[in-house]
Amino acid sequence: MRPRVGMIGLGVMGSAMSAHLLAAGFTVTGYDIDEEALRRHAERGGTAPGVNRGSRE
């Protein structure tokens, strides 16, 4: 089972931290008020409320 982490804020610092955690094998669920930041996080392999759900349907 992969370790899970939640990241609130996917700006400059949060997106870099989440990218490193994803590269290290963590499951990262991210949240940000900026939809573009959520989309970029999902493209890197993270999960984001409302973003990943639509891509699976």
Side-chain angles (χ1 to χ4, degrees), residues 27-53:
T27 297
V28 182
T29 300
Y31 179 77
D32 198 287
I33 60 172
D34 181 4
E35 291 290 326
E36 183 65 20
L38 290 172
R39 185 190 59 74
R40 287 190 306 265
H41 176 69
E43 286 177 355
R44 284 192 301 268
T47 58
V51 175
N52 296 63
R53 188 177 315 123

Side-chain angles (χ1 to χ4, degrees), residues 3 5 8-9 13 15 18 23 27 31 35 40 42 48 50 53 56:
V5 176
I8 300 173
M13 185 168 55
S15 64
S18 69
T27 297
Y31 179 77
E35 291 290 326
R40 287 190 306 265
R53 188 177 315 123
R56 285 188 224 144

